[in-house]
């Protein structure tokens, strides 16, 4: 069963002007980083007593918020984030022959 959100676009990026896209990106980055920072701060006040550890956890939460905003910005600008990955490896035997393996997920 598919989600109703999967069948529709949440943001009509083709209909937005460039200035509207950048406005959304900056607004979203500010909101997401603030929410991440506040969540990290709340968690750090509950779990830790040392001030440097609290600052590090709050900054880590802000980084998560900026990461989420970055993925949203890539979507709005049309640089879709793909979910597939391609892994490759190469091995050489002592006699000098090489073998390569590539898998796609």
């Amino acid at each position: 069963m598919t989600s109703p959100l999967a069948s529709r676009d949440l943001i009509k990026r083709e209909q937005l002007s460039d200035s509207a896209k950048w406005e959304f990106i900056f607004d979203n980055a500010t909101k997401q980083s603030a929410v991440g920072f506040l969540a990290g701060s709340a968690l750090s006040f509950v779990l830790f007593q040392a001030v440097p550890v609290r600052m590090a956890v709050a900054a880590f939460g802000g980084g998560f918020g900026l990461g989420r905003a970055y993925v949203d910005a890539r979507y709005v600008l049309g640089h879709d984030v793909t979910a597939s990955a391609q892994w490759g490896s190469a091995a050489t035997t002592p006699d000098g022959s090489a073998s390569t393996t590539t898998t796609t997920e």
Side-chain angles (χ1 to χ4, degrees):
M1 179 176 192
T2 60
S3 170
L5 292 178
S7 62
R8 64 186 171 114
D9 288 335
L10 298 178
I11 298 172
K12 305 289 188 218
R13 64 181 174 195
E14 294 82 16
Q15 297 173 356
L16 293 175
S17 66
D18 286 342
S19 63
K21 288 179 183 179
W22 282 105
E23 181 181 348
F24 172 79
I25 289 169
F26 286 123
D27 184 50
N28 189 40
T30 304
K31 288 178 185 177
Q32 293 287 343
S33 61
V35 167
F37 182 78
L38 290 174
S41 297
L43 184 68
S44 69
F45 279 121
V46 171
L47 296 178
F48 303 109
Q49 290 182 351
V51 174
V53 176
R54 286 181 176 177
M55 290 181 358
V57 171
F60 193 69
F64 268 104
L66 279 176
R68 287 184 47 124
Y70 173 73
V71 171
D72 292 344
R74 286 190 56 168
Y75 172 77
V76 169
L77 292 175
H79 307 157
D80 290 332
V81 180
T82 59
S84 64
Q86 185 172 2
W87 300 91
S89 63
T92 1
T93 59
D95 63 356
S97 63
S99 64
T100 305
T101 305
T102 303
T103 59
T104 303
E105 295 179 5

